[in-house]
Amino acid sequence: MNDHYLTLWLRKSISLLIFLAACAVEGRAQVEPSLPYVVNGIVKDASTGRALKSVNISIPGSHISTVTNDEGAFSIKAKERPKQLRFSHIGYKTIKLATPSDGKEMNVKLAPNTVVLNDVVVMMGDPERIVRIAISKIPDNYSLTAEQDRCFYRETAQKRKKFIYIAEAVTDMYKTGYNRDIHSDRVAIHRGRRIVSPKASDTLSVKVIGGPVQATILDVVKNRPFLLCEEELNLYNMKMDMPVQIGDRPQYVVSISPKYHTDYALYYGQLYIDKETLSFTRISLQLDMSDRENATRAMLVRKPLGVKFRPKELSLLINYTYDEGVTRLSYLSTVFRFNCDWKKRLLATSFTAINEMVVTDRCLSGFTPIRRKDSFSEHESLFDQQTNFSDENFWKDYNIIEPTESLEKAIHRIVKAK
């Protein structure tokens, strides 16, 4: 790998340590005002009744937000009962609903959005020109002033279909303006916990890209060397796909695919660009797995001797929300799938690691930037957080991504086994 490619690869590499052993460190907890009012609910497709994942739920007039889990469930907390909640999702109409005064669970149904037929002519446009204009308009569409975001982050690891590691954290993320690079952006752990399977047979020591600092590294619009720089864009074919709507805003969709074979793995994916503002609103990427050695270098940081790492999938999703003329990072997730072969074993074992981060609140002024010495390092792991999964009120005062039923059962089994 030459120096240029190595530099680009290092800029894209961050660390999630899935290391099942025993240690505990208290997170950087602070005293916070309580959030006494909770609104629970579930969001489904109005036509099919299917639960909708990653729906953005926000309180109008505030920066408080969350997303639904894989089962469409959500819980959002505020200091007092919000009058309304706003629901927005790709391919569905954005709606605002009054919150129930009796505290009952909300049953929300989103109607699919239809794309205006005239928008089909977009497919005849020049995708490279649209992408480059969108890049040039980043200073117009994204904040140029610093802000500090409150986030919820979760990482899990599964051996086959069994959860063997779960870690969660509330983080503070300091972001400089989008006219600057990411080198001064910081993430600090506000409060965290983790739990691991006590079974020796579940032990896995593998370090792959990920972790709480992915919220800064994977902000592709701000970290342009990752994808949106001239050197990278020249490596991709681009074509126009059918337009879609995110909420009530029409979107261009540009598909990308590798144009050349390079010394490092490229991506397949889709870039969603707001038709009116030309801001990037959603970026979905899948690592090219055609060259196993390149894919391994992109995913793997470290593994034990004697273990063969076989990459299967690396998917990235980065969502941005548009609010009062400014587009901001709101949600991201990474999915890793890989097999590990041990010598003298006949069958390989499959593993899945999933990381999710959602911005739950924002502070636009009056905050103290996170100091480097207080920030979470890309070389640290949430594994070093204290185990507190037996505390049912651990997240009482925080907005989180609600755990799925399968995750709750897994936590119960691991806590009971301990």
Side-chain angles (χ1 to χ4, degrees), residues 39 58-59 74 76 82 84-87 95-97 99 106:
V39 181
S58 59
I59 299 175
F74 72 91
I76 193 165
Q84 290 182 321
L85 294 182
R86 180 179 182 271
F87 299 85
I95 61 172
K96 293 181 181 179
L97 296 176
T99 57
M106 297 183 70

Side-chain angles (χ1 to χ4, degrees), residues 15-19 155 165 212 376-385:
S15 300
L16 158 68
L17 182 62
I18 307 170
F19 187 77
E155 59 189 35
Y165 168 79
F376 193 84
S377 165
E378 63 188 65
H379 304 296
E380 292 183 272
S381 167
L382 275 184
F383 178 79
D384 296 328
Q385 299 302 309

